[in-house]
Amino acid sequence: MSNAKLWGGRFSESTSEAVEAFSESVSFDARLWRQDIAGSKAHARMLGRVGVLSGADVTAICEGLDTIASDIAAGDFVWDTALEDVHMNIESALTERIGEAGKRLHTGRSRNDQIATDVRLYVRDAIDALVTDIDRLSTALVDLAEAEADTIMPGFTHLQVAQPVSFGHHMLAWREQILRDRARLMDARKRANICPLGSAALAGTVYPIDRESVAADLGFDGITANSLDAVSDRDFAIEFVHAAGLLMVHLSRWSEELILWSTPMFGFVQLPDRFCTGSSIMPQKKNPDVPELVRGKTARVTGDLMSLLMLMKGQPLAYNRDNQEDKEPLFDAHDTVAACVGLYADLIPALAVNRETCRRAAVEGYSTATDLADYLVRKGMAFRDAHHVVGGVVAQALDEGRELAAMPLDALQAFSAEIEDDVFDVLRVEGSVAARDHAGGTAPAQVRAAVARARAAN
Ligand code: ARG
């Protein structure tokens, strides 16, 4: 029955079942119902303001859409794949409920500007919710940084012990990453929050529409400048998923660290039991599932980004049905990143730090060797020579199975007559960390200053 379709007038046979199943999108775009209904109500109100629809029609449309919204929210709405997408499901239900006025809703509009509007509203909402959770995560990192400002751990390069750092400094390094993610999301929001309604199918519409007022009604910051671009552009979705992908890459890097740190070989931290699972065969196991899954799910989100980029690369202007394929990667990326940020915001405050183990790892890793070289430089030696001398000290300490701070003074003096009793201040990890006392450095005083700045910025 071709005439059952809202667009069926010119068709002489009905869509094949296979094509219907292949081309429907309501099975996944139904989740845009809130945005779709908000957009339709705003469009109807505008048509009323400019005199295209009567006040009675606008009221009937808005009330009808409200009843549909409450049915959907209550789970009482029957979605029909024969009606293709979220738009036509809602529009058909509206006409069933209110009659003629329902058929007037689509005046001066196309599904092309309608879907572009829905997806923009969706991305805006997604960004707002995600930023709220990023802020929660950021606060958790600041709190942990303050609590562990004096905790010393090895800093790594090449995953080899390099120099001692404050655990709090490490947490604030993580925070810097997600602050950039937040900024990228807020920047993407600016370009997402522009209203394409009025672009209609591709060329605009003949009705005396007031685009600015619909945009304001929906909380958009402005209107799109070109109808052809407006119906085809999905940059805003790509930007969101890009920012989400990079955020996931950051969480994946944290995950890798937490997975290592929570092994008995490192033993720096304990993940709360409620974030872990056991093994069905090995009774001693406590597996770091959440970090592992976050690391694994990073693949999905970066894959979603690739899907969207490839989706757009061959499309001529203006709208093409290809664009329907933007939904699943967008939703998947959003669901995944939201879950991961939310879980990390819960996990970080529950992280138990094993302070002694962290400190011991820094001490045993000869992490103050650079401090000894810097000490010799202060005594007048050229840095390259000092580096060589300290290499010899480390070799001997390794031979003797001693930490640097446990080397006897006379043994050290055999390497350089310049070495005096005060050398032990720099050989101790506390001295090493405290000495890096400048903006951006790891001294606990700097960590506390950074914490204070973070708190003041909120
Ligand atoms: N389901 C479509 C999408 O997601 C809606 C727009 C369809 N427009 C059209 N002319 N077929 O892009």
Side-chain angles (χ1 to χ4, degrees):
M1 270 199 324
S2 62
N3 56 5
K5 301 282 189 213
L6 294 188
W7 39 252
R10 60 100 70 213
F11 286 77
S12 58
E13 62 174 0
S14 52
T15 319
S16 92
E17 264 179 42
V19 169
E20 212 163 80
F22 181 71
S23 57
E24 68 84 22
S25 58
V26 69
S27 56
F28 49 87
D29 68 16
R31 77 186 266 176
L32 293 171
W33 66 268
R34 279 192 188 80
Q35 290 81 7
D36 200 66
I37 287 177
S40 288
K41 286 170 70 175
H43 178 67
R45 284 193 286 262
M46 181 278 290
L47 291 180
R49 284 194 296 277
V50 299
V52 171
L53 288 187
S54 70
D57 280 351
V58 175
T59 306
I61 287 170
C62 289
E63 286 177 4
L65 288 170
D66 285 341
T67 67
I68 292 171
S70 31
D71 286 358
I72 298 172
D76 292 337
F77 189 83
V78 182
W79 299 99
D80 181 359
T81 51
L83 290 167
E84 265 185 59
D85 54 27
V86 60
H87 321 299
M88 294 203 288
N89 270 268
I90 291 175
E91 194 189 314
S92 301
L94 182 67
T95 300
E96 248 169 54
R97 291 178 193 205
I98 67 168
E100 280 297 300
K103 297 191 206 163
R104 296 203 181 97
L105 167 61
H106 211 51
T107 312
R109 184 176 76 166
S110 152
R111 279 185 292 158
N112 298 351
D113 59 345
Q114 192 177 354
I115 187 63
T117 304
D118 292 2
V119 181
R120 282 173 180 272
L121 289 172
Y122 179 91
V123 167
R124 181 182 77 189
D125 295 347
I127 290 174
D128 289 344
L130 189 55
V131 162
T132 303
D133 263 0
I134 290 176
D135 289 344
R136 198 157 68 83
L137 177 53
S138 163
T139 302
L141 290 170
V142 170
D143 292 346
L144 187 57
E146 183 175 50
E148 305 298 338
D150 293 308
T151 303
I152 293 177
M153 67 180 285
F156 298 89
T157 61
H158 313 268
L159 200 55
Q160 306 291 320
V161 172
Q163 294 175 346
V165 295
S166 151
F167 192 98
H169 196 53
H170 199 115
M171 293 302 101
L172 292 180
W174 285 2
R175 177 171 176 269
E176 288 299 314
Q177 297 174 352
I178 59 164
L179 288 184
R180 291 192 295 273
D181 295 322
R182 185 190 199 281
R184 267 185 287 274
L185 286 164
M186 292 307 289
D187 193 54
R189 188 189 195 282
K190 289 185 211 152
R191 282 175 295 282
N193 201 31
I194 304 291
C195 187
L197 274 179
S199 304
L202 75 165
T205 178
V206 297
Y207 299 95
I209 54 172
D210 176 0
R211 296 191 57 206
E212 296 283 359
S213 76
V214 198
D217 193 350
L218 290 168
F220 281 115
D221 296 327
I223 59 171
T224 52
N226 180 297
S227 63
L228 291 170
D229 179 54
V231 293
S232 85
D233 171 36
R234 294 295 181 273
D235 291 4
F236 60 90
I238 294 175
E239 288 189 50
F240 168 66
V241 176
H242 169 261
L246 192 42
L247 171 49
M248 287 299 297
V249 167
H250 294 144
L251 297 186
S252 184
R253 295 180 62 185
W254 306 6
S255 297
E256 176 65 8
E257 292 184 317
L258 288 175
I259 290 163
L260 285 170
W261 293 356
S262 62
T263 60
M265 282 89 86
F266 275 78
F268 292 0
V269 297
Q270 276 152 269
L271 302 175
D273 279 4
R274 62 182 181 280
F275 287 87
C276 299
T277 66
S279 158
S280 56
I281 172 168
M282 298 164 283
Q284 85 285 9
K285 292 292 291 294
K286 175 174 158 184
N287 295 328
D289 301 59
V290 169
E292 289 175 286
L293 280 169
V294 168
R295 191 177 57 185
K297 285 174 188 288
T298 302
R300 301 170 66 117
V301 180
T302 53
D304 292 330
L305 173 61
M306 284 307 122
S307 296
L308 289 180
L309 287 167
M310 292 306 105
L311 174 64
M312 299 312 293
K313 79 180 227 323
Q315 288 197 45
L317 288 174
Y319 176 85
N320 302 281
R321 190 65 178 269
D322 313 40
N323 275 354
Q324 181 166 300
E325 290 289 310
D326 64 355
K327 316 283 176 310
E328 288 156 295
L330 172 63
F331 296 158
D332 183 64
H334 174 219
D335 289 342
T336 307
V337 73
C340 293
V341 172
L343 277 167
Y344 261 122
D346 295 338
L347 185 152
I348 295 294
L351 200 64
V353 180
N354 302 331
R355 294 176 179 163
E356 244 331 286
T357 313
C358 288
R359 182 183 186 281
R360 207 174 333 112
V363 167
E364 288 171 358
Y366 300 97
S367 63
T368 56
T370 316
D371 297 82
L372 179 55
D374 290 332
Y375 173 88
L376 292 172
V377 167
R378 284 198 295 276
K379 301 281 182 182
M381 199 181 282
F383 182 79
R384 223 11 97 201
D385 294 332
H387 186 284
H388 191 77
V389 167
V390 176
V393 176
V394 169
Q396 181 171 329
L398 271 168
D399 257 6
E400 295 173 359
R402 281 186 215 276
E403 322 169 343
L404 280 181
M407 292 286 283
L409 183 60
D410 55 351
L412 290 170
Q413 282 168 335
F415 285 91
S416 164
E418 304 291 346
I419 295 179
E420 292 168 84
D421 205 29
D422 59 353
V423 73
F424 295 104
D425 296 339
V426 308
L427 289 182
R428 271 193 295 275
V429 290
E430 284 76 11
S432 168
V433 170
R436 284 159 172 78
D437 192 13
H438 53 78
T442 191
Q446 292 296 332
V447 172
R448 277 186 274 274
V451 165
R453 278 196 300 277
R455 296 242 165 89
N458 282 338

PDB file of all heavy atoms in Angstrom, residues 131-148:
ATOM      1  N   VAL A 131      30.052  17.459  30.289  1.00  0.00           N
ATOM      2  CA  VAL A 131      30.867  18.467  30.970  1.00  0.00           C
ATOM      3  C   VAL A 131      30.587  18.456  32.482  1.00  0.00           C
ATOM      4  O   VAL A 131      31.500  18.608  33.293  1.00  0.00           O
ATOM      5  CB  VAL A 131      30.642  19.856  30.328  1.00  0.00           C
ATOM      6  CG1 VAL A 131      31.099  20.974  31.250  1.00  0.00           C
ATOM      7  CG2 VAL A 131      31.372  19.934  28.986  1.00  0.00           C
ATOM      8  N   THR A 132      29.352  18.224  32.845  1.00  0.00           N
ATOM      9  CA  THR A 132      29.021  18.123  34.277  1.00  0.00           C
ATOM     10  C   THR A 132      29.803  16.982  34.920  1.00  0.00           C
ATOM     11  O   THR A 132      30.351  17.126  36.023  1.00  0.00           O
ATOM     12  CB  THR A 132      27.502  17.887  34.452  1.00  0.00           C
ATOM     13  OG1 THR A 132      26.817  18.944  33.802  1.00  0.00           O
ATOM     14  CG2 THR A 132      27.114  17.848  35.911  1.00  0.00           C
ATOM     15  N   ASP A 133      29.882  15.858  34.237  1.00  0.00           N
ATOM     16  CA  ASP A 133      30.616  14.717  34.788  1.00  0.00           C
ATOM     17  C   ASP A 133      32.133  14.933  34.742  1.00  0.00           C
ATOM     18  O   ASP A 133      32.854  14.458  35.618  1.00  0.00           O
ATOM     19  CB  ASP A 133      30.230  13.425  34.066  1.00  0.00           C
ATOM     20  CG  ASP A 133      29.170  12.659  34.848  1.00  0.00           C
ATOM     21  OD1 ASP A 133      28.765  13.147  35.931  1.00  0.00           O
ATOM     22  OD2 ASP A 133      28.745  11.582  34.391  1.00  0.00           O
ATOM     23  N   ILE A 134      32.606  15.629  33.719  1.00  0.00           N
ATOM     24  CA  ILE A 134      34.039  15.952  33.674  1.00  0.00           C
ATOM     25  C   ILE A 134      34.388  16.821  34.884  1.00  0.00           C
ATOM     26  O   ILE A 134      35.427  16.631  35.521  1.00  0.00           O
ATOM     27  CB  ILE A 134      34.411  16.668  32.355  1.00  0.00           C
ATOM     28  CG1 ILE A 134      34.327  15.693  31.179  1.00  0.00           C
ATOM     29  CG2 ILE A 134      35.809  17.279  32.445  1.00  0.00           C
ATOM     30  CD1 ILE A 134      34.581  16.332  29.822  1.00  0.00           C
ATOM     31  N   ASP A 135      33.506  17.746  35.221  1.00  0.00           N
ATOM     32  CA  ASP A 135      33.766  18.613  36.380  1.00  0.00           C
ATOM     33  C   ASP A 135      33.805  17.799  37.677  1.00  0.00           C
ATOM     34  O   ASP A 135      34.610  18.064  38.562  1.00  0.00           O
ATOM     35  CB  ASP A 135      32.715  19.721  36.458  1.00  0.00           C
ATOM     36  CG  ASP A 135      32.901  20.755  35.348  1.00  0.00           C
ATOM     37  OD1 ASP A 135      33.992  20.775  34.733  1.00  0.00           O
ATOM     38  OD2 ASP A 135      31.963  21.525  35.076  1.00  0.00           O
ATOM     39  N   ARG A 136      32.937  16.816  37.763  1.00  0.00           N
ATOM     40  CA  ARG A 136      32.921  15.945  38.946  1.00  0.00           C
ATOM     41  C   ARG A 136      34.240  15.167  39.021  1.00  0.00           C
ATOM     42  O   ARG A 136      34.852  15.045  40.083  1.00  0.00           O
ATOM     43  CB  ARG A 136      31.726  14.985  38.804  1.00  0.00           C
ATOM     44  CG  ARG A 136      31.285  14.300  40.066  1.00  0.00           C
ATOM     45  CD  ARG A 136      29.819  13.856  39.928  1.00  0.00           C
ATOM     46  NE  ARG A 136      29.626  12.787  38.961  1.00  0.00           N
ATOM     47  CZ  ARG A 136      29.807  11.491  39.212  1.00  0.00           C
ATOM     48  NH1 ARG A 136      30.209  11.093  40.408  1.00  0.00           N
ATOM     49  NH2 ARG A 136      29.584  10.582  38.272  1.00  0.00           N
ATOM     50  N   LEU A 137      34.678  14.679  37.887  1.00  0.00           N
ATOM     51  CA  LEU A 137      35.937  13.925  37.831  1.00  0.00           C
ATOM     52  C   LEU A 137      37.115  14.832  38.166  1.00  0.00           C
ATOM     53  O   LEU A 137      38.029  14.454  38.922  1.00  0.00           O
ATOM     54  CB  LEU A 137      36.093  13.320  36.427  1.00  0.00           C
ATOM     55  CG  LEU A 137      37.361  12.553  36.107  1.00  0.00           C
ATOM     56  CD1 LEU A 137      37.636  11.474  37.137  1.00  0.00           C
ATOM     57  CD2 LEU A 137      37.260  11.926  34.712  1.00  0.00           C
ATOM     58  N   SER A 138      37.075  16.048  37.643  1.00  0.00           N
ATOM     59  CA  SER A 138      38.149  16.997  37.905  1.00  0.00           C
ATOM     60  C   SER A 138      38.241  17.316  39.396  1.00  0.00           C
ATOM     61  O   SER A 138      39.334  17.358  39.978  1.00  0.00           O
ATOM     62  CB  SER A 138      37.887  18.269  37.081  1.00  0.00           C
ATOM     63  OG  SER A 138      38.639  19.327  37.571  1.00  0.00           O
ATOM     64  N   THR A 139      37.094  17.509  40.031  1.00  0.00           N
ATOM     65  CA  THR A 139      37.082  17.775  41.469  1.00  0.00           C
ATOM     66  C   THR A 139      37.662  16.593  42.236  1.00  0.00           C
ATOM     67  O   THR A 139      38.429  16.774  43.198  1.00  0.00           O
ATOM     68  CB  THR A 139      35.631  18.043  41.939  1.00  0.00           C
ATOM     69  OG1 THR A 139      35.133  19.154  41.198  1.00  0.00           O
ATOM     70  CG2 THR A 139      35.567  18.352  43.420  1.00  0.00           C
ATOM     71  N   ALA A 140      37.337  15.386  41.813  1.00  0.00           N
ATOM     72  CA  ALA A 140      37.866  14.190  42.487  1.00  0.00           C
ATOM     73  C   ALA A 140      39.392  14.155  42.374  1.00  0.00           C
ATOM     74  O   ALA A 140      40.090  13.800  43.336  1.00  0.00           O
ATOM     75  CB  ALA A 140      37.254  12.935  41.870  1.00  0.00           C
ATOM     76  N   LEU A 141      39.911  14.543  41.225  1.00  0.00           N
ATOM     77  CA  LEU A 141      41.367  14.544  41.042  1.00  0.00           C
ATOM     78  C   LEU A 141      42.028  15.612  41.907  1.00  0.00           C
ATOM     79  O   LEU A 141      43.098  15.386  42.489  1.00  0.00           O
ATOM     80  CB  LEU A 141      41.718  14.771  39.562  1.00  0.00           C
ATOM     81  CG  LEU A 141      41.387  13.608  38.617  1.00  0.00           C
ATOM     82  CD1 LEU A 141      41.546  14.041  37.164  1.00  0.00           C
ATOM     83  CD2 LEU A 141      42.267  12.392  38.900  1.00  0.00           C
ATOM     84  N   VAL A 142      41.391  16.766  42.009  1.00  0.00           N
ATOM     85  CA  VAL A 142      41.939  17.844  42.842  1.00  0.00           C
ATOM     86  C   VAL A 142      41.959  17.404  44.304  1.00  0.00           C
ATOM     87  O   VAL A 142      42.962  17.593  45.010  1.00  0.00           O
ATOM     88  CB  VAL A 142      41.122  19.143  42.652  1.00  0.00           C
ATOM     89  CG1 VAL A 142      41.523  20.194  43.677  1.00  0.00           C
ATOM     90  CG2 VAL A 142      41.301  19.683  41.233  1.00  0.00           C
ATOM     91  N   ASP A 143      40.892  16.776  44.747  1.00  0.00           N
ATOM     92  CA  ASP A 143      40.843  16.299  46.143  1.00  0.00           C
ATOM     93  C   ASP A 143      41.931  15.269  46.403  1.00  0.00           C
ATOM     94  O   ASP A 143      42.609  15.310  47.445  1.00  0.00           O
ATOM     95  CB  ASP A 143      39.464  15.676  46.448  1.00  0.00           C
ATOM     96  CG  ASP A 143      38.354  16.728  46.458  1.00  0.00           C
ATOM     97  OD1 ASP A 143      38.681  17.937  46.492  1.00  0.00           O
ATOM     98  OD2 ASP A 143      37.168  16.341  46.418  1.00  0.00           O
ATOM     99  N   LEU A 144      42.099  14.337  45.461  1.00  0.00           N
ATOM    100  CA  LEU A 144      43.117  13.301  45.655  1.00  0.00           C
ATOM    101  C   LEU A 144      44.519  13.915  45.599  1.00  0.00           C
ATOM    102  O   LEU A 144      45.413  13.528  46.361  1.00  0.00           O
ATOM    103  CB  LEU A 144      42.947  12.206  44.586  1.00  0.00           C
ATOM    104  CG  LEU A 144      43.828  10.970  44.734  1.00  0.00           C
ATOM    105  CD1 LEU A 144      43.633  10.296  46.089  1.00  0.00           C
ATOM    106  CD2 LEU A 144      43.534   9.960  43.607  1.00  0.00           C
ATOM    107  N   ALA A 145      44.697  14.901  44.732  1.00  0.00           N
ATOM    108  CA  ALA A 145      46.003  15.571  44.631  1.00  0.00           C
ATOM    109  C   ALA A 145      46.345  16.244  45.952  1.00  0.00           C
ATOM    110  O   ALA A 145      47.496  16.205  46.409  1.00  0.00           O
ATOM    111  CB  ALA A 145      45.981  16.602  43.506  1.00  0.00           C
ATOM    112  N   GLU A 146      45.356  16.849  46.580  1.00  0.00           N
ATOM    113  CA  GLU A 146      45.612  17.505  47.855  1.00  0.00           C
ATOM    114  C   GLU A 146      45.975  16.466  48.925  1.00  0.00           C
ATOM    115  O   GLU A 146      46.959  16.632  49.658  1.00  0.00           O
ATOM    116  CB  GLU A 146      44.384  18.302  48.301  1.00  0.00           C
ATOM    117  CG  GLU A 146      44.635  19.052  49.599  1.00  0.00           C
ATOM    118  CD  GLU A 146      43.461  19.941  49.971  1.00  0.00           C
ATOM    119  OE1 GLU A 146      42.311  19.448  49.967  1.00  0.00           O
ATOM    120  OE2 GLU A 146      43.702  21.123  50.261  1.00  0.00           O
ATOM    121  N   ALA A 147      45.199  15.388  48.961  1.00  0.00           N
ATOM    122  CA  ALA A 147      45.443  14.359  49.981  1.00  0.00           C
ATOM    123  C   ALA A 147      46.809  13.709  49.806  1.00  0.00           C
ATOM    124  O   ALA A 147      47.435  13.283  50.777  1.00  0.00           O
ATOM    125  CB  ALA A 147      44.336  13.301  49.928  1.00  0.00           C
ATOM    126  N   GLU A 148      47.288  13.619  48.560  1.00  0.00           N
ATOM    127  CA  GLU A 148      48.530  12.901  48.280  1.00  0.00           C
ATOM    128  C   GLU A 148      49.646  13.843  47.805  1.00  0.00           C
ATOM    129  O   GLU A 148      50.575  13.405  47.133  1.00  0.00           O
ATOM    130  CB  GLU A 148      48.292  11.800  47.230  1.00  0.00           C
ATOM    131  CG  GLU A 148      47.183  10.806  47.587  1.00  0.00           C
ATOM    132  CD  GLU A 148      47.446  10.004  48.870  1.00  0.00           C
ATOM    133  OE1 GLU A 148      48.628   9.889  49.272  1.00  0.00           O
ATOM    134  OE2 GLU A 148      46.473   9.517  49.475  1.00  0.00           O
TER     135      GLU A 148
END
